[in-house]
Amino acid sequence: MADAAVWLPSLVVFGTAAVAFVAGVVGLRRLGERREARDADAARELERTAKARLVGADEAVRDATQEIRFAEAQFGPETARELGQAVERARGWLREAFLLQQRLDDAEPGTAAERRAWSTRIASLCASVEGALADAGSVLSARRAAERGAVDDAPALRERERRLAARRADAVSALERLGTRFSASALAGAQGALRRADHDLAAGSAALDEAEQRLADAPGAPVAGILDRSAHALQRAERELDRVEHVELELARAAEEAGAEAASLDEELVAARRERDAAADADVGSALAVVIGEVSPLLVGREGRAADPFSERDRLRAARDRLEAARATARRAQDRLDGARGALPGAIAIAESQIRVAGEALERARAFAGADARTRLAEAERQLGIARREPDPVAALDAARRAASRASDAEALAHYAALHR
């Protein structure tokens, strides 16, 4: 009895643990069953959604297949081919979706994960089908809307063509009137713009005629592309006519600018003649005189060249630019001469001082100085003589600087000989 009393608490503990374990197992099993039930419900819902989308995608492909024939009849084989390509892509996706649905119908109930994956894939393929067909349908709808708008715009384009034809006639009259005052070269740009306008007007009118004839033969026929071509041609013609209509203002502006260029050139010539007369260097004055002689005749007889203001303005502008360049060159040469003339006295004084210092150094090292030092000193004296006699200030300045340099070399050689005797 004593032994039974000892084991009794242990049995109670083990029994309680066993009961708790069994209860936990049962609870976990029930939780798993509830989770599996929820997953199964979700999978069935996903499958139902996929089947519904598959039916909708199949109907969309069938409708698009019928739409191909309508598109070909309305817009021609090119537009139908584009829609047909979209339908073929959609059919490929649809075939894959049907194969997956067949697997779902034949699969064992226990393959829940695969069923979810297949259902998801079917939904994705149906979305691709719907998207491709929607894009193709949008393009076709836009094309039909454009056609409806194009038909409405055709009368406006015809009215625009008539207005441009009237402007063209006015432009011809204006050019004939301007031709009595201005030369053919002055009006060449406007005449070229008129020829281009004629070409574009003819192209726009021909496209309009083609569109109207097509609509007369087959009401509802596609003409948007033809009318768009006509609109672009008429727009180009309008730009060219704008150029023709503005040529008179441009001629007046060119004549005014030519007068301003002539006045500026006259002022430049007056200043250039003063600089030529004041030039100390004969070469500088001669070079400036040549340019003056070449551009001066341009100011004579300008009335006879008034028939082409564009050419006259450009000619005077080029002459003024050339004269300005010649004056700038002359000023640079004169500045160089003036600078050399101002620096020459100082350079000669420096050379004389350096020659004197070098001579004293040679005198102190007379017994030791060699031919190199004496040669440098002799060359310095010769360059100093050139600097005093040279009429060109620039050449004289260069000679004076060479004299100072040679004298400095002679002094250095004399000191070196004295230190190393």
Side-chain angles (χ1 to χ4, degrees):
M1 293 296 293
D3 291 339
V6 172
W7 285 99
L8 184 59
S10 298
L11 290 173
V12 172
V13 171
F14 287 136
T16 303
V19 171
F21 177 74
V22 171
V25 170
V26 172
L28 288 174
R29 182 175 295 173
R30 289 177 179 174
L31 182 62
E33 290 174 353
R34 287 196 297 271
R35 185 182 297 112
E36 288 178 1
R38 287 196 301 271
D39 291 345
D41 291 341
R44 284 192 294 272
E45 181 61 28
L46 184 60
E47 289 179 21
R48 283 194 298 271
T49 303
K51 285 181 179 180
R53 296 197 68 174
L54 186 57
V55 172
D58 184 52
E59 288 296 325
V61 170
R62 292 176 186 275
D63 292 341
T65 302
Q66 294 179 353
E67 190 67 31
I68 293 174
R69 294 192 295 272
F70 298 143
E72 183 173 5
Q74 185 175 11
F75 300 113
E78 181 62 30
T79 302
R81 181 166 56 253
E82 294 174 359
L83 179 59
Q85 291 172 351
V87 171
E88 282 302 316
R89 290 196 301 273
R91 282 174 178 163
W93 293 323
L94 193 60
R95 282 193 294 271
E96 183 182 351
F98 276 126
L99 288 174
L100 292 173
Q101 184 61 49
Q102 186 64 43
R103 290 182 186 178
L104 281 172
D105 295 340
D106 296 343
E108 295 295 331
T111 58
E114 288 184 346
R115 296 180 73 85
R116 283 195 299 272
W118 292 339
S119 297
T120 302
R121 176 61 178 165
I122 289 171
S124 175
L125 289 168
C126 290
S128 298
V129 170
E130 293 164 359
L133 295 181
D135 291 343
S138 297
V139 172
L140 196 58
S141 298
R143 181 76 182 272
R144 285 172 175 152
E147 290 296 337
R148 290 192 296 270
V151 173
D152 295 337
D153 290 342
L157 283 175
R158 181 61 75 181
E159 177 60 27
R160 184 180 182 185
E161 181 227 356
R162 284 193 288 266
R163 288 199 305 268
L164 289 175
R167 286 180 59 186
R168 187 261 177 198
D170 293 341
V172 171
S173 299
L175 287 180
E176 290 175 353
R177 175 173 51 81
L178 292 173
T180 61
R181 296 167 48 203
F182 299 100
S183 65
S185 60
L187 299 175
Q191 292 288 359
L194 182 62
R195 286 192 296 272
R196 292 190 294 272
D198 287 342
H199 177 271
D200 291 330
L201 271 174
S205 179
L208 270 173
D209 293 341
E210 180 184 353
E212 291 173 350
Q213 185 62 45
R214 179 172 294 189
L215 289 173
D217 294 341
V223 294
I226 302 173
L227 293 177
D228 187 60
R229 189 169 72 245
S230 174
H232 280 88
L234 294 178
Q235 185 178 22
R236 291 193 301 270
E238 188 171 13
R239 287 198 298 266
E240 298 299 340
L241 288 175
D242 286 342
R243 294 190 180 96
V244 177
E245 291 167 350
H246 285 86
V247 68
E248 189 167 7
L249 290 176
E250 292 175 358
L251 285 165
R253 188 180 301 115
E256 183 179 351
E257 291 172 351
E261 291 292 340
S264 297
L265 179 60
D266 190 39
E267 294 176 0
E268 291 283 337
L269 282 169
V270 172
R273 291 187 184 101
R274 286 199 301 266
E275 292 171 359
R276 176 201 60 191
D277 297 339
D281 189 329
D283 293 337
V284 172
S286 298
L288 194 55
V290 169
V291 178
I292 291 171
E294 291 176 352
V295 303
S296 295
L298 294 179
L299 295 178
V300 180
R302 288 194 58 241
E303 296 78 7
R305 299 192 297 270
D308 191 346
F310 298 129
S311 177
E312 178 69 3
R313 177 198 59 193
D314 296 341
R315 188 183 298 109
L316 291 170
R317 185 173 293 168
R320 185 169 61 84
D321 291 342
R322 184 182 177 194
L323 186 59
E324 285 179 349
R327 289 184 60 203
T329 301
R331 284 195 297 270
R332 286 194 297 271
Q334 189 63 44
D335 291 344
R336 186 166 175 259
L337 288 172
D338 293 341
R341 190 176 291 108
L344 182 58
I348 289 177
I350 291 171
E352 290 172 344
S353 174
Q354 191 62 49
I355 289 172
R356 184 171 59 255
V357 171
E360 293 173 355
L362 273 173
E363 190 64 31
R364 289 193 298 271
R366 186 173 183 179
F368 314 106
D372 291 343
R374 299 173 190 274
T375 302
R376 297 292 193 284
L377 182 59
E379 177 62 17
E381 292 172 345
R382 188 180 76 83
Q383 291 293 334
L384 180 60
I386 292 173
R388 289 169 174 163
R389 296 188 301 272
E390 176 61 51
D392 183 0
V394 176
L397 180 62
D398 292 339
R401 288 171 175 170
R402 286 194 297 272
S405 177
R406 300 296 184 275
S408 179
D409 293 342
E411 180 190 4
L413 289 171
H415 285 308
Y416 182 81
L419 290 173
H420 296 82
R421 62 180 185 275

